[in-house]
Amino acid sequence: MTVELISVGTELLLGNIVNTNAAYLAERCAALGLSCYYQTVVGDNEKRLEEVVRLGLSRSDILILSGGLGPTKDDLTKEVTAKVFGRELIEDAHTRGRIEEYFHRVHSDQVTPNNWKQAMVPEGAKVVDNHNGTAPGLIMEEDGKTAILLPGPPNEIRPMFERDIAPYLDGLLPEGIYSKMVKICSIGESRAETMIADLMDAQTNPTIAPYAKTGEVHLRVTAKASGEEEAGELITPVIEELFRRFGDAIFTIEESVTLEEAVAGLLAEKGMTVTTAESCTAGLLAGRLMNAAGASNVYREGYITYSDEAKERLLGVSHETLMQYGAVSAQTAEEMARGAARAAGADAAVGVTGIAGPGGGTDEKPVGLVYVGCFVKGAVRTEEFHFTGNRAKNRESAVARALTLLREELLKIRD
Amino acid sequence: MTVELISVGTELLLGNIVNTNAAYLAERCAALGLSCYYQTVVGDNEKRLEEVVRLGLSRSDILILSGGLGPTKDDLTKEVTAKVFGRELIEDAHTRGRIEEYFHRVHSDQVTPNNWKQAMVPEGAKVVDNHNGTAPGLIMEEDGKTAILLPGPPNEIRPMFERDIAPYLDGLLPEGIYSKMVKICSIGESRAETMIADLMDAQTNPTIAPYAKTGEVHLRVTAKASGEEEAGELITPVIEELFRRFGDAIFTIEESVTLEEAVAGLLAEKGMTVTTAESCTAGLLAGRLMNAAGASNVYREGYITYSDEAKERLLGVSHETLMQYGAVSAQTAEEMARGAARAAGADAAVGVTGIAGPGGGTDEKPVGLVYVGCFVKGAVRTEEFHFTGNRAKNRESAVARALTLLREELLKIRD
């Protein structure tokens, strides 16, 4: 069964707001096993909205329209959809009562006349109460097609979807879609894809879809099945094959787990603490690691040492090293990691030093050159990277590679 | 002239990512004076993508497609658009050279065969170099219709749009659209809008459009004019009026200047250095401040002090303060700022301590409670904030408010 999302609002067309409703609805529909092939954004314009609704009904089973249900003249979603379905608008006494009550409660105020517009509903529509606003949700069914109209504000649409719309959609579905996410680091997108080209060539059900992230590749394995059990039987062998090919480079098969959470989890598992010493990334590595809510158990302090003097004083990097090899060097990265571990009394430490750009590069040490030193239990591994992005991207890449390096070194410790 | 945005990617249809590219492109196109009536999201599917491209060409002058230009078999945007335009794909030697060079530089690695796919371009297409990745942008023109194909990653599409696509689009437009961006901090969105409601009600040319960002409000002032001079005459009085209303809360009227750059600039102007002491933000404040390329002149070192012990040892926060008021308190924030300034020998310092969530909250100190202490020339101002987002959003908000507070204190120093 297919669903199509139609977001109504000129503010979306102007880029005033980001369409987070579409991402929310898309994710929830995918989780319910609905296939979504199209999302459309259209403004508060009668002719274009009608055209988009008609097109949607011609190619999808279910339309979910969000926005344009409010009290103003601009709000046309209900009027246009009712017209396409050939329904008159009639006043719904239940909704009128709710609007009155809402106004008394929230605004302790009279209802302004334009608000009564929200009590008008298409004949025969199911009315879905809005517990966080005045515009009710509406469901119209006709000839095997369904239109679901939802209010635009995130704090109204989300509770309404969870409470009433998700159960309604679930009741419509004969077959389900199930998926698992396999997340990989240490291997680039092209190489990862080359490693599974044969699987992707042969795929029908399940399918594998790769997504490139900074320093990561995500593979979504999706199966169509009649239930969880059948889905598991289809997906499990594919996951096992991916583990045979990628091994330890797979850092999680949980949708919600991030690389920093995987690294923090590994540290916690081994009962180790970590610290960071950052020059070009200047806090971004620590900041990302601490996205992991549980990281406070493994991370106590860190150092941002932008100047040479700070590298010497806070981390004990030797003056000779800085003079001989420079602040951006494998030697300095190594001493930063060692010194940070010592200063913080941590079991592991990552040092990052490099030239993020746009200035500061030379022929010998160009913009994008980054050294990462990773100290784990007495030994330091250093790696040299050459990034080619702008300042922000180079720093982001350095953080991703630093986390990956730390993870690789932690995995080498076999308890 | 009308533009239509087509975002290509199954990850958007599945809700894996939020469509920030569409918001970015919509805002930029609006600023250029292009009317956008439709945005569509479609997956990596040949048939449906072709249908969406054909529909777009039938109703809009310019299509901007983003995503689906990568090296994998899933990436079909170029192939499908070329087919609709009746063009063959041919190898572009220039792009092949750039890909080769990119791989040598970044991966110090062989180019895997699938990457050469990105050197194939539609016959007669304009090739737009990608300075942050391997897939070039492409422009095809035919019968008064234009298709612009851009890579999906935000760090590739944005610089490419700013550098090459915006000037290209500008050249297509008969009438000039000119705009200035007024960026405000210290004042929330609703209050800012209330403060200019009369201007917005009365507006025709120029217009003012507000955009809410985390901790900032941006006002885009847009004029239609025959040339730069006329545009200036229209826009200047509006900017002057905005300065009269918002005063020092305006931190820049330059499109490209960020809040961290404004703060770094202010420090440089005053010949002052700054340091940071972070608990819940754990490096994100320093990391953001150092986005400003010039910040290395004003920032030498910083401290991430997650544990109480680190707050005492590195910053000299007193044990008594931590015991009596707790790590999340105005007193601790103040001592963190003072201690960081002392330890780093800096003229200014910002201390941040709070409960980012999801755990760690109590009735007395709920999730979202953050204290910021700002030390400038001997005095400390502390502020208490209550954020209501998730962990990531609360940390981001804390960073924005910390920068704003630092800016406000720096502005008080009248030389």
Side-chain angles (χ1 to χ4, degrees):
Chain A
M1 198 164 272
T2 59
V3 65
E4 180 161 346
L5 307 181
I6 299 175
S7 308
V8 186
T10 304
E11 69 277 22
L12 290 164
L13 291 181
L14 289 171
N16 288 357
I17 57 169
V18 176
N19 198 352
T20 52
N21 279 347
Y24 164 76
L25 292 170
E27 186 180 336
R28 292 295 286 117
C29 286
L32 286 163
L34 289 161
S35 299
C36 176
Y37 296 136
Y38 307 94
Q39 297 170 4
T40 307
V41 177
V42 63
D44 305 295
N45 172 283
E46 195 171 340
K47 182 178 139 285
R48 288 190 286 269
L49 179 53
E50 180 177 336
E51 172 201 310
V52 165
V53 170
R54 289 194 189 278
L55 177 65
L57 288 171
S58 76
R59 65 189 182 185
S60 302
D61 301 317
I62 303 164
L63 302 189
I64 301 182
L65 294 102
S66 53
L69 295 184
T72 79
K73 269 196 306 252
D74 278 354
D75 295 303
L76 294 167
T77 305
K78 182 173 60 188
E79 289 72 9
V80 168
T81 314
K83 181 185 163 197
V84 172
F85 275 75
R87 312 267 183 104
E88 294 292 318
L89 294 178
I90 52 172
E91 188 172 273
D92 181 52
H94 167 74
T95 300
R96 193 179 165 103
R98 286 186 62 88
I99 292 172
E100 200 151 33
E101 187 213 354
Y102 182 91
F103 264 79
H104 285 310
R105 197 157 33 99
V106 179
H107 300 282
S108 52
D109 208 359
Q110 285 298 308
V111 186
T112 54
N114 59 353
N115 273 288
W116 297 129
K117 176 172 176 286
Q118 296 173 103
M120 300 296 287
V121 307
E123 264 184 302
K126 289 183 191 158
V127 176
V128 182
D129 286 346
N130 185 342
H131 295 274
N132 301 283
T134 47
L138 297 164
I139 301 176
M140 277 181 270
E141 295 166 336
E142 189 101 27
D143 299 331
K145 300 284 182 176
T146 302
I148 301 173
L149 282 59
L150 302 174
N155 69 312
E156 297 181 27
I157 193 171
R158 293 183 186 211
M160 189 184 286
F161 192 94
E162 297 302 328
R163 184 192 160 112
D164 292 307
I165 308 301
Y168 170 81
L169 289 170
D170 202 41
L172 298 180
L173 286 166
E175 187 192 37
I177 299 238
Y178 301 86
S179 76
K180 269 281 190 190
M181 188 66 107
V182 175
K183 299 186 183 179
I184 294 167
C185 61
S186 303
I187 293 175
E189 188 197 8
S190 311
R191 207 179 122 219
E193 208 192 320
T194 307
M195 286 168 70
I196 53 166
D198 57 320
L199 296 180
M200 291 186 67
D201 277 341
Q203 69 188 4
T204 49
N205 185 26
T207 56
I208 305 174
Y211 301 99
K213 313 280 172 187
T214 300
E216 302 176 25
V217 181
H218 297 183
L219 302 174
R220 182 179 287 283
V221 183
T222 306
K224 291 190 188 199
S226 58
E228 292 241 3
E229 200 179 328
E230 192 194 336
E233 282 164 19
L234 287 163
I235 289 174
T236 304
V238 176
I239 303 268
E240 283 168 0
E241 184 57 31
L242 293 175
F243 266 105
R244 270 190 291 278
R245 298 187 184 204
F246 293 109
D248 277 347
I250 296 174
F251 66 85
T252 187
I253 56 168
E254 294 299 325
E255 186 85 46
S256 65
V257 172
T258 61
L259 179 56
E260 56 268 30
E261 286 171 343
V263 171
L266 212 49
L267 286 160
E269 201 183 296
K270 296 185 186 295
M272 290 172 68
T273 57
V274 70
T275 186
T276 50
E278 303 180 67
S279 189
C280 62
T281 51
L284 295 181
L285 171 59
R288 179 160 170 201
L289 188 61
M290 300 307 284
N291 284 340
S296 53
N297 298 318
V298 299
Y299 188 94
R300 292 183 199 137
E301 65 188 73
Y303 313 88
I304 301 162
T305 53
Y306 216 78
S307 69
D308 283 9
E309 194 267 320
K311 290 181 184 74
E312 291 184 39
R313 178 166 39 82
L314 291 172
L315 305 173
V317 174
S318 83
H319 192 70
E320 292 65 37
T321 299
L322 289 166
M323 288 301 106
Q324 192 176 343
Y325 304 102
V328 179
S329 65
Q331 290 80 0
T332 297
E334 172 169 348
E335 290 190 29
M336 284 171 72
R338 269 191 203 284
R342 192 172 45 233
D347 305 310
V350 185
V352 184
T353 180
I355 302 159
T362 62
D363 281 354
E364 207 189 328
K365 295 187 177 178
V367 165
L369 174 66
V370 174
Y371 292 93
V372 179
C374 181
F375 171 96
V376 172
K377 301 224 165 171
V380 179
R381 173 175 157 207
T382 60
E383 289 285 338
E384 177 180 316
F385 299 100
H386 293 265
F387 303 118
T388 59
N390 58 12
R391 181 177 178 86
K393 181 69 185 172
N394 289 339
R395 299 170 83 213
E396 188 192 337
S397 296
V399 167
R401 296 306 189 92
L403 284 174
T404 300
L405 199 61
L406 173 58
R407 180 173 177 273
E408 288 172 7
E409 293 308 292
L410 291 172
L411 286 174
K412 287 180 188 165
I413 308 170
R414 299 294 176 191
D415 329 77
Chain B
M1 200 164 269
T2 59
V3 65
E4 179 160 345
L5 307 181
I6 300 175
S7 307
V8 186
T10 305
E11 68 275 26
L12 290 164
L13 290 180
L14 290 170
N16 288 357
I17 56 172
V18 176
N19 198 352
T20 52
N21 280 346
Y24 164 76
L25 292 170
E27 183 181 340
R28 294 296 287 116
C29 287
L32 286 162
L34 290 160
S35 298
C36 177
Y37 295 136
Y38 306 94
Q39 297 170 3
T40 307
V41 177
V42 63
D44 306 296
N45 173 282
E46 197 172 338
K47 181 178 140 285
R48 289 189 286 268
L49 179 53
E50 180 177 337
E51 172 200 311
V52 165
V53 171
R54 289 194 190 279
L55 176 65
L57 288 171
S58 76
R59 63 188 182 185
S60 302
D61 301 316
I62 302 165
L63 302 188
I64 301 182
L65 294 103
S66 53
L69 294 185
T72 80
K73 269 200 303 265
D74 277 354
D75 295 304
L76 293 167
T77 304
K78 181 173 61 186
E79 289 72 8
V80 168
T81 315
K83 182 184 162 200
V84 172
F85 275 75
R87 311 270 182 103
E88 292 293 315
L89 294 178
I90 53 172
E91 187 171 274
D92 181 52
H94 167 75
T95 300
R96 191 179 166 103
R98 286 186 62 90
I99 293 172
E100 198 150 34
E101 188 213 353
Y102 182 91
F103 263 79
H104 284 310
R105 202 152 32 100
V106 179
H107 300 283
S108 51
D109 206 0
Q110 285 298 307
V111 186
T112 54
N114 57 356
N115 273 287
W116 297 129
K117 176 171 177 288
Q118 295 174 102
M120 301 296 288
V121 308
E123 264 182 301
K126 288 185 190 156
V127 176
V128 182
D129 287 346
N130 185 342
H131 295 274
N132 301 285
T134 47
L138 297 164
I139 301 176
M140 278 180 270
E141 295 166 336
E142 190 101 28
D143 299 332
K145 300 285 183 175
T146 302
I148 300 174
L149 281 60
L150 301 175
N155 69 306
E156 298 181 26
I157 194 170
R158 292 182 186 212
M160 189 182 286
F161 191 93
E162 297 302 328
R163 182 192 161 111
D164 293 306
I165 307 302
Y168 169 82
L169 290 170
D170 202 41
L172 297 180
L173 291 165
E175 189 189 35
I177 297 270
Y178 301 85
S179 75
K180 269 281 190 188
M181 189 65 109
V182 176
K183 299 187 183 179
I184 294 167
C185 61
S186 304
I187 292 176
E189 188 197 6
S190 326
R191 208 180 121 219
E193 280 194 50
T194 308
M195 285 168 70
I196 53 165
D198 57 322
L199 297 181
M200 290 187 65
D201 278 342
Q203 68 188 7
T204 49
N205 185 28
T207 56
I208 306 174
Y211 297 89
K213 313 279 172 185
T214 301
E216 300 175 27
V217 180
H218 295 185
L219 302 175
R220 185 180 287 284
V221 183
T222 305
K224 292 191 189 196
S226 59
E228 292 242 1
E229 201 180 326
E230 191 193 338
E233 282 164 19
L234 287 162
I235 290 175
T236 305
V238 176
I239 302 270
E240 283 168 1
E241 183 59 32
L242 292 175
F243 267 104
R244 269 191 291 278
R245 297 186 185 205
F246 293 109
D248 277 347
I250 296 175
F251 65 87
T252 187
I253 55 167
E254 294 299 324
E255 183 87 44
S256 66
V257 172
T258 60
L259 180 57
E260 56 267 30
E261 286 170 343
V263 171
L266 213 49
L267 286 159
E269 202 181 295
K270 296 184 184 293
M272 290 172 68
T273 57
V274 69
T275 186
T276 50
E278 303 180 66
S279 190
C280 61
T281 51
L284 295 182
L285 171 59
R288 181 163 169 199
L289 188 60
M290 299 307 283
N291 283 340
S296 52
N297 298 318
V298 300
Y299 188 94
R300 292 182 198 138
E301 65 189 74
Y303 313 89
I304 300 161
T305 53
Y306 217 79
S307 69
D308 282 9
E309 194 269 319
K311 289 181 184 73
E312 292 185 37
R313 179 166 38 82
L314 292 173
L315 306 174
V317 174
S318 83
H319 192 71
E320 292 64 38
T321 299
L322 290 166
M323 287 302 104
Q324 193 177 344
Y325 304 103
V328 178
S329 64
Q331 290 80 1
T332 297
E334 172 169 347
E335 290 190 29
M336 285 172 72
R338 269 191 203 284
R342 191 170 48 232
D347 304 310
V350 185
V352 185
T353 180
I355 301 158
T362 62
D363 280 353
E364 206 189 330
K365 295 187 177 178
V367 166
L369 175 66
V370 173
Y371 292 93
V372 178
C374 181
F375 171 97
V376 171
K377 301 224 165 173
V380 179
R381 172 175 158 207
T382 60
E383 288 286 339
E384 177 180 316
F385 300 100
H386 292 266
F387 303 118
T388 56
N390 59 14
R391 180 177 179 85
K393 183 72 183 165
N394 289 339
R395 298 171 82 213
E396 189 192 337
S397 297
V399 167
R401 296 308 190 91
L403 284 174
T404 300
L405 199 59
L406 173 57
R407 181 174 176 274
E408 287 172 7
E409 293 309 292
L410 291 172
L411 286 174
K412 288 180 189 164
I413 308 170
R414 299 293 175 191
D415 329 80

